[in-house]
Amino acid sequence: MLDENITYFEKQARIYPRSVKGRYRRLKWAAIAVLLGIYYATPWLRWHRGENLPDQAVLIDMPARRAYFFGLEIWPDEVYFITGILVLAAVGLFFVTSLLGRVWCGYACPQTVWTDLFVWVEEKIQGDRNRRIRLDSQGFTFERIWKKTVTHALWILIGLCTGGAWVFYFNDAPALFDHIRHFDLPWSVGSWILGLTASTYLMAGYAREQVCKYMCPYARFQSAMFDRDTLIIGYDAGRGEPRGKHKKGTSWEGKGHCIDCTQCVLVCPVGIDIRNGLQMECIACGLCVDACNDVMDKVDLPRGLIRYDTQRNYDDRQAGRATQSRLRLWRPRTFYYLGVLSLVSALMVYGLFARPRMELHAIQNRNPLFVKLSDGSIRNSYVVKILNKTHEARHFALGVTGVPVKRLDLQSATPLDPADLVVEGGMVAQYRVMLVADKQPAYRLPITLTAQEIDGGLHDSAATIFVSGDEP
Ligand code: SF4
Ligand code: SF4
């Protein structure tokens, strides 16, 4: 029985981060501008591929089952390239994390970027931290209603732009934009835009730091990539303690440099006190560094009471040993990550240059396995596909080895010549192929179907079987 008098879940306290100016805040704005610029501009980049081919540089064309990334064209059977890109992104992230700690979380993660944008809007409309707290403590006043309405309207607008930009990656951007302008959208596209608008609004407007705390798996396991030489945000307790208020002009004798102003806590977007040590919630955004440096400037003390540094340096300083001013780049784990990165990159480059420009696939029809003809011959049928991955029409001759066939026919509404099959550029041609041969001594013969380009070097083969007679 649950005791109704006990509260099992702590109510989430709303965080009102104070705005701050400084080097890391500027860096964050620069990162946001670059990343959002890339996100919104990429679908509008053009890349000429030839006639009748999409000219969008980055496009995932679902109906045509094709993905385009500048000069790279990925077919459905080459999805391993996408796997390779994801592996590279993941290992690249591990490498950066082992060097610079959680910079991805603090500067580049979409959750951070959009939350920053939403907080900026909130601050512009409702004012800085204290004004926002005051506003939320008011009842339904006119000021509160109009400020909240405008804030939420702008949030929804940003959400709409986010969802709107996303669907451009899956459609021709100018054509789709035209449809959007005329409110003439397929329901599938419209529902994606609405879904992404809603998720952006909820994640950046409401969930915010809770996404990092409770939903993001990366936050949980990235400490596995840390070592004593990874950059972390830290408070120099040796210099800061004993903390306490300080009156300007009085001596610092017997006092630490932390004046307990809590500015580092008030600016923190996840609401933690970094003076309690590194915590899982810290996204290494550096805003507490800016806040504390500002305070240090005001009390005429050197900056860096809170700073990016390595655990090794913090320990060495504590023990009175010399510290290292440069980041130790070459460590076992960075070698390991770089090794994996190089290996996967090399495999992908090799795969890119070695991938075939045409493919042949064959599947034997199982129902029936074979047909006995009136003259005693055996007929097997196959579904054969020729993938022409070039952009021009190619002519192929179909052949077979492994069984002495009497006839190789194609079943189709219009007569087709297996010695000259035309496959248009970028297309998959499918045929029903009939092989007729005398009854063979073996019940099941391994055979190979072949396709050779006429007047060209493209060729491929597909292994299959020829079933001859009843199973012994
Ligand atoms: S901002 Fe600096 S001085 Fe102020 S409480 Fe934080 S660590 Fe101490
Ligand atoms: S403790 Fe500092 S670096 Fe960490 S999240 Fe808070 S403000 Fe950002």
Side-chain angles (χ1 to χ4, degrees), residues 235-236 240-241 243-245 252 257-267 273-275 288-296 299 301 305-306:
Y235 163 69
D236 192 341
E241 301 297 319
R243 70 185 77 160
K245 301 289 172 211
W252 287 97
H257 286 180
C258 173
I259 59 168
D260 209 12
C261 60
T262 68
Q263 289 305 311
C264 51
V265 183
L266 299 182
V267 298
D273 187 342
I274 195 65
R275 294 173 300 170
C288 52
V289 179
D290 281 341
C292 191
N293 281 344
D294 194 32
V295 174
M296 291 298 107
V299 294
L301 286 174
L305 180 56
I306 298 176

Side-chain angles (χ1 to χ4, degrees), residues 233 268-270 272 274 282-288:
I233 289 278
C268 179
V270 297
I272 60 168
I274 195 65
C282 174
I283 56 168
C285 64
L287 298 183
C288 52

Side-chain angles (χ1 to χ4, degrees), residues 3-291:
D3 186 340
E4 288 177 4
N5 298 319
I6 299 176
T7 313
Y8 291 93
F9 298 100
E10 188 188 1
K11 195 171 180 301
Q12 191 70 36
R14 176 126 197 241
I15 295 170
Y16 297 87
R18 191 178 74 73
S19 65
V20 63
K21 288 195 175 93
R23 179 198 294 172
Y24 297 109
R25 181 63 269 181
R26 283 197 299 277
L27 200 59
K28 268 170 80 68
W29 284 131
I32 288 172
V34 170
L35 293 169
L36 288 180
I38 292 172
Y39 176 66
Y40 287 112
T42 301
W44 297 92
L45 298 178
R46 302 290 103 187
W47 188 269
H48 183 68
R49 296 190 177 88
E51 231 174 289
N52 299 327
L53 285 166
D55 67 347
Q56 190 157 312
V58 179
L59 175 69
I60 299 166
D61 190 347
M62 295 298 236
R65 292 176 177 77
R66 224 51 63 77
Y68 300 95
F69 188 75
F70 295 91
L72 183 64
E73 181 179 340
I74 299 174
W75 284 56
D77 60 325
E78 294 169 341
V79 77
Y80 54 85
F81 276 114
I82 295 179
T83 312
I85 291 168
L86 292 178
V87 170
L88 280 182
V91 181
L93 188 56
F94 296 168
F95 176 67
V96 171
T97 304
S98 71
L99 281 179
L100 305 176
R102 294 182 67 174
V103 281
W104 161 263
C105 304
Y107 295 83
C109 169
Q111 177 62 24
T112 303
V113 168
W114 265 271
T115 300
D116 255 5
L117 205 57
F118 273 46
V119 172
W120 178 78
V121 168
E122 190 177 83
E123 199 187 289
K124 287 289 157 222
I125 306 298
Q126 301 175 22
D128 205 357
R129 178 186 150 80
N130 290 342
R131 281 173 184 262
R132 299 207 297 277
I133 294 174
R134 251 199 324 272
L135 197 69
D136 280 354
S137 65
Q138 291 177 12
F140 285 102
T141 60
F142 174 71
E143 185 195 15
R144 187 168 181 217
I145 290 170
W146 85 255
K147 285 188 173 173
K148 290 282 174 186
T149 308
V150 175
T151 305
H152 286 262
L154 288 173
W155 284 357
I156 291 170
L157 190 66
I158 296 173
L160 268 172
C161 294
T162 309
W166 180 254
V167 293
F168 287 151
Y169 284 86
F170 296 84
N171 298 273
D172 180 64
L176 184 64
F177 184 69
D178 226 37
H179 283 286
I180 292 176
R181 269 192 327 131
H182 295 100
F183 296 99
D184 167 31
L185 272 181
W187 69 267
S188 55
V189 176
S191 54
W192 269 104
I193 295 179
L194 287 181
L196 285 162
T197 304
S199 58
T200 310
Y201 176 72
L202 289 175
M203 294 297 157
Y206 290 93
R208 294 190 178 176
E209 77 288 347
Q210 294 177 54
V211 174
C212 316
K213 275 191 195 172
Y214 306 116
M215 291 165 71
C216 177
Y218 187 56
R220 301 270 156 184
F221 70 80
Q222 61 186 315
S223 56
M225 290 139 221
F226 281 28
D227 59 22
R228 280 163 44 75
D229 293 296
T230 300
L231 266 193
I232 51 174
I233 289 278
Y235 163 69
D236 192 341
R239 179 185 148 192
E241 301 297 319
R243 70 185 77 160
K245 301 289 172 211
H246 177 80
K247 217 166 159 212
K248 207 166 181 182
T250 59
S251 161
W252 287 97
E253 194 63 33
K255 288 179 178 172
H257 286 180
C258 173
I259 59 168
D260 209 12
C261 60
T262 68
Q263 289 305 311
C264 51
V265 183
L266 299 182
V267 298
C268 179
V270 297
I272 60 168
D273 187 342
I274 195 65
R275 294 173 300 170
N276 296 335
L278 188 61
Q279 292 144 71
M280 191 208 76
E281 292 87 344
C282 174
I283 56 168
C285 64
L287 298 183
C288 52
V289 179
D290 281 341

Side-chain angles (χ1 to χ4, degrees), residues 345-366:
S345 307
L347 285 174
M348 284 193 53
V349 171
Y350 172 76
L352 212 57
F353 286 104
R355 66 187 182 149
R357 302 312 297 139
M358 70 83 59
E359 284 177 36
L360 176 75
H361 298 281
I363 299 173
Q364 196 219 13
N365 281 328
R366 302 276 154 160

